[in-house]
Amino acid sequence: MRSVCQTASTTHARHLHAGVRWSLDLCRMSSAGSGSSLRVHAVRFGPGQELLGSLLAFVEERRLRAPFIITCVGSVTTATLRLANATATNPNEVMRLSGRFEIVSLVGTLGRGAHLHISLADAQGRTVGGHVLGDLKVFTTAEVVVGEATDLTFTRDMDQATGFPELVVKSRSPPEEGRE
């Protein structure tokens, strides 16, 4: 049995699922090669640490070139988020949170130009989320599992269509001398 990507290696795939026809346009996908091996890192951050900055330092120390969040649980007392209605011409739709919040989801890519989204739940279970700008101060803990696509590199280039630096995925060059 071939996967959707193999089946759709020309321009698109068409499928019938639950009576609904859909297609997957692969021409708009940014991808490199046929995949990558995975290296997994686990780290815990403690009370008072700023989560985004700590994650970026972790990535830099380990020289990870295609890092991403696999999962995260924990809590924060502050957060600064850009909301979904932000655009290139109006990027400052920002929410600043203060209180005690459970991290119910943290997803995205790390490295230069990190792109993370977070969902936080308050004491009543109400959730709020957005693009992480920073100021994620850990309350009790942040237990994070970081993956690295070892055969790839992530960079960001300005996308004229969105007005934001967007992810560019490239195959990694052979290992540099002295680097795994």
Side-chain angles (χ1 to χ4, degrees):
M1 179 176 200
R2 297 184 312 178
S3 74
V4 172
C5 290
Q6 292 168 330
T7 303
S9 62
T10 55
T11 57
H12 63 273
R14 295 180 203 279
H15 295 276
L16 189 63
H17 179 70
V20 176
R21 183 169 294 281
W22 59 273
S23 67
L24 174 64
D25 185 351
L26 295 179
C27 296
R28 297 180 189 174
M29 191 181 305
S30 176
S31 178
S34 61
S36 177
S37 298
L38 173 67
R39 181 176 291 140
V40 176
H41 306 266
V43 61
R44 177 186 177 263
F45 301 105
Q49 289 184 276
E50 198 285 315
L51 185 54
L52 178 58
S54 296
L55 281 167
L56 294 176
F58 180 84
V59 164
E60 184 67 28
E61 286 171 8
R62 284 159 183 75
R63 298 174 58 193
L64 307 182
R65 296 194 288 177
F68 57 94
I69 301 294
I70 295 175
T71 192
C72 174
V73 296
S75 58
V76 296
T77 57
T78 61
T80 302
L81 310 176
R82 187 179 69 216
L83 303 177
N85 59 343
T87 64
T89 57
N90 185 25
N92 296 319
E93 293 292 326
V94 173
M95 175 183 286
R96 288 178 179 78
L97 300 170
S98 182
R100 293 182 178 172
F101 300 91
E102 288 291 323
I103 300 169
V104 295
S105 176
L106 179 67
V107 296
T109 56
L110 294 162
R112 285 187 218 135
H115 186 183
L116 298 178
H117 288 195
I118 195 166
S119 292
L120 301 169
D122 67 13
Q124 289 74 42
R126 293 179 300 233
T127 58
V128 64
H131 175 94
V132 174
L133 293 178
D135 196 29
L136 292 172
K137 188 174 179 184
V138 174
F139 176 49
T140 58
T141 191
E143 302 164 6
V144 187
V145 180
V146 175
E148 180 188 20
T150 58
D151 302 320
L152 304 175
T153 59
F154 293 165
T155 60
R156 293 208 168 265
D157 286 342
M158 184 56 71
D159 185 309
Q160 298 305 316
T162 67
F164 291 104
E166 302 293 356
L167 182 66
V168 176
V169 180
K170 295 180 182 174
S171 293
R172 189 178 288 190
S173 306
E176 299 168 15
E177 192 66 32
R179 171 147 165 84
E180 292 182 12

